[in-house]
Amino acid sequence: MEITTTQYNRCDVVKMTGRVDTYTAPKLQETMDAVVESGKNNIVFDMSEVDFLSSKGLWVLTETQKKCKKQRGKLVLVNTDEKIRKSFDLVGMGDYFDIFDDLTAAVGSF
Amino acid sequence: MEITTTQYNRCDVVKMTGRVDTYTAPKLQETMDAVVESGKNNIVFDMSEVDFLSSKGLWVLTETQKKCKKQRGKLVLVNTDEKIRKSFDLVGMGDYFDIFDDLTAAVGSF
Amino acid sequence: MTTVIFPGRFESLEKISKFVKKAARNAGLGEDAVYGVELAVDEACSNIIEHAYQGENVGDIECTCEVTVSGIKIVICDNGQPFDPGQVPKPDLSSPVEERKKGGLGLFYIDQMMDEARFEFTPGKNKLIMIKHK
Amino acid sequence: MTTVIFPGRFESLEKISKFVKKAARNAGLGEDAVYGVELAVDEACSNIIEHAYQGENVGDIECTCEVTVSGIKIVICDNGQPFDPGQVPKPDLSSPVEERKKGGLGLFYIDQMMDEARFEFTPGKNKLIMIKHK
Ligand SMILES: Nc1ncnc2c1ncn2[C@@H]1O[C@H](COP(=O)(O)OP(=O)(O)O)[C@@H](O)[C@H]1O
Ligand SMILES: Nc1ncnc2c1ncn2[C@@H]1O[C@H](COP(=O)(O)OP(=O)(O)O)[C@@H](O)[C@H]1O
């Protein structure tokens, strides 16, 4: 599991690899919180190498989305695995995140 | 030779493949002019598949840079081949364009 | 039928996941079904640590995978606090996400992802029996 | 030694480029030197069409590549208007780019990229002889 943050002019990209489960979700939350606390409120979460996301991971994303929106920003996702997308749909969260197929398009949306 | 334009929120990406020589430079100029005329003045020129650029191609880039700057925008380059960069340096134009290694970074710079 | 005992801590989740994914693939499940099994088992084991043991390194998680004619049967046992699944309120899946209370999706995912899922509580032993068809 | 005659139009530039790149590689030049040869030849042929013929499809471009012990010798011939290279002003390479006049870099690139480059004009025939060492 690795988490990296890259800063761009209008957004930060957080990229994580591996699983987002109860073990790793707190580390992701910390990273997201650090971005929001640094005053950035547009975040791209690059999921191209995330192969699993449990309900704990989902709550990290919804919490982050709420914090971003409170500051008029937005969390968007990139390259979310189809199986993970289906798990969002199942709990009525399919529309809560804009999902891009391409990192550049996500960064370019801000 | 192919030229594609992709629109993002703060910039347009123009990508060309192959050679920029006296034969193809006018087509590139047309594309660049169309972007500027559409009111966009931040342009990313993705050169990752450009393998040759003659002085005619270089003038297209300087003309476009001038037009962008006139409207307070900027032309930046991505993945410019090292041999092409050296040809910029040779004529004292090495600093006239910001050059990024990564398309996302270039788009994210606006 | 293979049984593996894992220490009850969150670090074990990845190892448990690897174990059940391998069994599910051996049972002939497709990749969507394998992911469903991974998700259900992850939620179940995370619940055991959080709710049954109320902390890490309190007890073990015993995980048994059995390839059957129709698919896979997974049994997960712990010896923490039992609970009454019937008393757990259903999650709110329709309010705007902003207004929902955090948590409460694990049991729902278990139900949704598996073809059968039932708890059995005997003194000192809690069992979750799950079945997923091919 | 190979000679190929190309129709004098801009579409030919890519074909000319392929021809000289192949010869330069055969001569054992490294990739930077090959690019230099490609650039010099492209600028030279573009000039022939624009300045010597003053238009496309007016005359041909004859291109000869000779692998030598030390590298490659390239001779480019046309039968358009001759000119006096000594009369051509040097390009402005130091002013801010914004203030520079467009054009005038082709001959400079030819000089820079090749180890030797000289024009020979005889009645009805203009020759550019270029040499690049390994
Ligand atoms: N294995 C378990 N042992 C004890 N209580 C449990 C167990 N699994 C679930 N629960 C109870 O059911 C509730 C809902 O569980 P769940 O849907 O997984 O969501 P969450 O764990 O995120 O609250 C938990 O808050 C807990 O009270
Ligand atoms: N082959 C040629 N025949 C006639 N005139 C030439 C030729 N090559 C160059 N010239 C003259 O030299 C000038 C400078 O050429 P060059 O450095 O290639 O820049 P450009 O062609 O962009 O003006 C040209 O404008 C032209 O007047």
Side-chain angles (χ1 to χ4, degrees):
Chain A
M1 193 272 300
E2 240 179 78
I3 304 180
T4 53
T5 305
T6 313
Q7 275 139 38
Y8 295 111
N9 198 34
R10 312 249 166 208
C11 62
D12 280 14
V13 173
V14 174
K15 183 179 168 120
M16 180 165 173
T17 61
R19 292 164 52 85
V20 191
D21 59 17
T22 312
Y23 183 57
T24 60
K27 285 156 200 163
L28 180 61
Q29 186 74 68
E30 260 173 51
T31 305
M32 294 295 194
D33 287 350
V35 172
V36 174
E37 273 151 35
S38 79
K40 305 293 197 73
N41 38 52
N42 288 323
I43 303 180
V44 174
F45 183 41
D46 183 347
M47 299 182 72
S48 40
E49 291 178 46
V50 169
D51 49 36
F52 177 81
L53 186 115
S54 74
S55 66
K56 283 289 189 300
L58 183 50
W59 291 118
V60 171
L61 301 186
T62 59
E63 287 297 292
T64 304
Q65 180 70 294
K66 278 187 214 171
K67 287 175 190 170
C68 289
K69 285 194 170 172
K70 211 170 273 172
Q71 307 191 30
R72 298 180 177 199
K74 198 159 67 164
L75 167 70
V76 305
L77 313 181
V78 174
N79 262 322
T80 309
D81 185 278
E82 195 50 45
K83 301 184 285 293
I84 297 176
R85 291 170 87 137
K86 278 186 199 154
S87 74
F88 293 178
D89 292 339
L90 261 183
V91 297
M93 292 191 189
D95 298 332
Y96 193 54
F97 305 100
D98 291 344
I99 303 184
F100 292 86
D101 293 338
D102 178 70
L103 180 59
T104 303
V107 169
S109 75
F110 288 110
Chain B
M1 195 271 300
E2 239 178 78
I3 304 180
T4 55
T5 305
T6 314
Q7 275 139 38
Y8 295 110
N9 199 35
R10 312 249 166 207
C11 61
D12 279 15
V13 174
V14 173
K15 183 180 167 117
M16 181 164 173
T17 62
R19 291 165 51 86
V20 192
D21 59 17
T22 313
Y23 184 57
T24 60
K27 285 155 198 160
L28 180 62
Q29 185 75 67
E30 260 174 50
T31 305
M32 295 295 194
D33 287 350
V35 172
V36 174
E37 272 151 34
S38 80
K40 305 293 197 73
N41 38 51
N42 288 324
I43 303 179
V44 175
F45 183 40
D46 183 347
M47 297 181 74
S48 39
E49 292 178 46
V50 169
D51 49 35
F52 177 81
L53 186 115
S54 73
S55 65
K56 282 288 189 302
L58 182 52
W59 291 117
V60 171
L61 301 186
T62 59
E63 287 297 293
T64 304
Q65 181 70 295
K66 279 187 213 171
K67 287 175 190 170
C68 288
K69 286 194 170 172
K70 212 170 272 171
Q71 308 190 29
R72 298 181 176 200
K74 196 159 69 162
L75 167 70
V76 304
L77 313 181
V78 174
N79 261 321
T80 308
D81 184 281
E82 196 49 46
K83 300 183 286 293
I84 297 176
R85 289 170 89 137
K86 279 186 201 156
S87 75
F88 293 178
D89 293 338
L90 261 183
V91 297
M93 291 191 191
D95 298 330
Y96 192 54
F97 305 100
D98 292 343
I99 303 184
F100 292 85
D101 292 337
D102 178 69
L103 180 59
T104 303
V107 169
S109 75
F110 288 109
Chain C
M1 197 169 95
T2 325
T3 299
V4 180
I5 294 168
F6 298 92
R9 49 174 174 259
F10 299 129
E11 224 184 320
S12 298
L13 293 173
E14 182 166 4
K15 290 181 192 93
I16 297 172
S17 166
K18 276 194 184 141
F19 169 62
V20 297
K21 276 199 295 190
K22 198 174 160 197
R25 289 196 180 110
N26 282 343
L29 271 61
E31 281 308 296
D32 272 23
V34 170
Y35 187 83
V37 166
E38 180 180 11
L39 182 53
V41 169
D42 191 272
E43 299 289 350
C45 296
S46 179
N47 277 347
I48 289 172
I49 302 166
E50 281 191 289
H51 304 301
Y53 290 131
Q54 295 183 30
E56 295 191 88
N57 302 313
V58 173
D60 289 335
I61 298 172
E62 188 190 295
C63 187
T64 302
C65 293
E66 184 182 347
V67 174
T68 65
V69 267
S70 64
I72 190 166
K73 181 178 170 186
I74 299 167
V75 180
I76 298 173
C77 296
D78 69 83
N79 42 38
Q81 286 286 117
F83 78 112
D84 182 354
Q87 292 292 95
V88 176
K90 296 274 158 281
D92 172 5
L93 305 179
S94 52
S95 298
V97 180
E98 246 78 29
E99 295 164 16
R100 299 190 202 173
K101 219 169 74 245
K102 204 165 130 179
L105 296 179
L107 294 179
F108 176 79
Y109 274 134
I110 294 171
D111 257 357
Q112 289 290 311
M113 292 300 176
M114 305 306 282
D115 291 306
E116 285 178 47
R118 65 171 195 281
F119 285 94
E120 278 181 19
F121 301 95
T122 50
K125 186 155 193 163
N126 313 316
K127 233 185 211 182
L128 169 58
I129 300 138
M130 299 186 285
I131 287 172
K132 182 79 180 174
H133 303 313
K134 278 188 269 209
Chain D
M1 195 169 95
T2 325
T3 299
V4 180
I5 294 167
F6 298 92
R9 48 173 174 260
F10 298 128
E11 225 183 319
S12 299
L13 292 173
E14 182 166 3
K15 290 181 192 91
I16 296 171
S17 166
K18 276 193 182 140
F19 169 62
V20 296
K21 276 199 296 189
K22 199 174 159 198
R25 290 197 179 109
N26 282 345
L29 270 61
E31 280 309 297
D32 272 24
V34 170
Y35 187 82
V37 166
E38 181 181 10
L39 183 51
V41 169
D42 191 273
E43 298 289 350
C45 295
S46 180
N47 277 346
I48 289 172
I49 303 166
E50 280 190 289
H51 304 302
Y53 291 130
Q54 295 184 30
E56 295 190 272
N57 303 312
V58 173
D60 290 334
I61 297 172
E62 189 190 293
C63 187
T64 301
C65 293
E66 185 182 348
V67 174
T68 64
V69 267
S70 64
I72 190 167
K73 179 177 172 189
I74 299 168
V75 180
I76 299 174
C77 297
D78 67 85
N79 43 42
Q81 288 286 118
F83 78 113
D84 182 354
Q87 293 293 94
V88 176
K90 296 273 158 280
D92 172 6
L93 304 179
S94 52
S95 299
V97 180
E98 247 77 29
E99 296 164 16
R100 298 190 203 175
K101 220 168 77 247
K102 203 167 132 178
L105 296 179
L107 293 180
F108 176 79
Y109 274 134
I110 293 172
D111 257 357
Q112 289 290 313
M113 292 300 173
M114 304 307 283
D115 290 306
E116 286 177 47
R118 67 172 194 280
F119 285 94
E120 279 180 18
F121 301 94
T122 49
K125 186 155 194 165
N126 312 317
K127 237 188 210 180
L128 169 59
I129 299 140
M130 298 186 286
I131 287 172
K132 181 79 180 173
H133 302 313
K134 278 189 269 209

